[in-house]
Amino acid sequence: ASLYFRYALDASILGHIPHGYAFPNIGWPLILSAFFSFLKSGNLLDYMNLQRLLTMSISLLTIIPVYLLCRKFFDKNLALVGAALFAFEPRTIQNSLLGLTDSSFVCLTVLSLTLFFSKKTIWTYISFGIIACLATIRYEGLLLIFPFAVMHFVRFRKETRGKSKTIIAIGIFVLILVLTLAIRAYTIGSEGVIDNVVAGPEFGIKMIQTNGAGEFSKSL
């Protein structure tokens, strides 16, 4: 949380993506920096409180799409129970108070699912765009494209243009993701998402070659 805080503060002061930070999840601190730029205070505690306030607000707003998502599968009463279980889950409260990426990641994930199950095709396309934005908050969001693409194909496979709709949805995801990564690569010289995915196996191979499989298992 402190690393995201420093990144957001530097970005708000400099007015662009700062250099010298070796982590890919720049989506959340960039959102923070936008709010920091409106807060004119010489007290760092004010900025820290704003970070916590934002994550708590996002968690509260997430209750709405959680309820709408539950409502698509259950009746009104059970949907309220599902939303309540999310709202009072201890880890949701803890992560909100820490100012981490979990609140925004969960919010966008639930929102994408809610829009995906909408009856209008345009909302399903928007859900794929949200998944691309998820990858900038936590690059694990890239993994969601696979189940979403499969579900989209299964859902529209019986329609005349079912395959075309799935291709369009995946194209929206790729377009937004590529534009986002291109901006980061142009600014700091590294796109930060694909690099980190590729770096995982390379790190494992290097550790095994240097210290043996035993030391690599300890590092995990």
Side-chain angles (χ1 to χ4, degrees):
S2 61
L3 182 60
Y4 293 133
F5 174 79
R6 293 198 302 269
Y7 190 105
L9 197 60
D10 287 348
S12 64
I13 295 173
L14 297 174
H16 58 77
I17 299 177
H19 296 250
Y21 291 87
F23 68 101
N25 306 322
I26 64 172
W28 169 237
L30 287 181
I31 295 174
L32 275 178
S33 66
F35 286 89
F36 284 177
S37 61
F38 292 104
L39 180 63
K40 305 300 181 182
S41 175
N43 189 354
L44 287 178
L45 187 61
D46 292 337
Y47 292 93
M48 294 178 182
N49 290 332
L50 177 58
Q51 180 178 359
R52 296 188 180 97
L53 180 62
L54 286 174
T55 50
M56 288 188 291
S57 301
I58 292 173
S59 293
L60 287 174
L61 291 174
T62 307
I63 297 174
I64 299 175
V66 167
Y67 169 77
L68 295 176
L69 180 61
C70 293
R71 192 69 180 85
K72 293 181 181 296
F73 301 96
F74 306 101
D75 59 25
K76 182 178 180 180
N77 294 329
L78 287 178
L80 287 173
V81 172
L85 288 174
F86 169 80
F88 295 104
E89 212 284 326
R91 283 168 294 186
T92 300
I93 300 173
Q94 181 181 12
N95 292 333
S96 300
L97 294 175
L98 291 175
L100 296 171
T101 60
D102 300 66
S103 298
S104 54
F105 185 80
V106 171
C107 180
L108 290 180
T109 301
V110 176
L111 182 61
S112 63
L113 284 169
T114 304
L115 295 178
F116 179 84
F117 289 110
S118 175
K119 295 181 179 179
K120 295 184 178 180
T121 305
I122 184 64
W123 293 120
T124 63
Y125 292 154
I126 293 176
S127 68
F128 278 80
I130 294 176
I131 298 174
C133 296
L134 274 174
T136 65
I137 295 177
R138 291 181 63 170
Y139 62 85
E140 295 91 336
L142 285 172
L143 300 176
L144 292 177
I145 186 59
F146 300 106
F148 267 70
V150 172
M151 289 190 299
H152 193 277
F153 175 77
V154 172
R155 179 180 176 182
F156 295 101
R157 69 184 186 280
K158 295 182 179 180
E159 296 186 8
T160 305
R161 300 179 57 190
K163 293 182 179 179
S164 300
K165 289 183 178 181
T166 303
I167 294 174
I168 292 174
I170 296 176
I172 292 173
F173 167 82
V174 173
L175 179 62
I176 295 177
L177 183 63
V178 169
L179 289 175
T180 304
L181 299 184
I183 293 173
R184 176 180 169 126
Y186 177 79
T187 306
I188 63 177
S190 174
E191 44 82 20
V193 175
I194 307 299
D195 289 346
N196 281 270
V197 174
V198 175
E202 292 180 349
F203 171 77
I205 294 173
K206 184 177 179 181
M207 288 289 294
I208 292 175
Q209 292 175 345
T210 305
N211 303 315
E215 292 296 325
F216 174 66
S217 62
K218 292 180 182 179
S219 66
L220 295 178

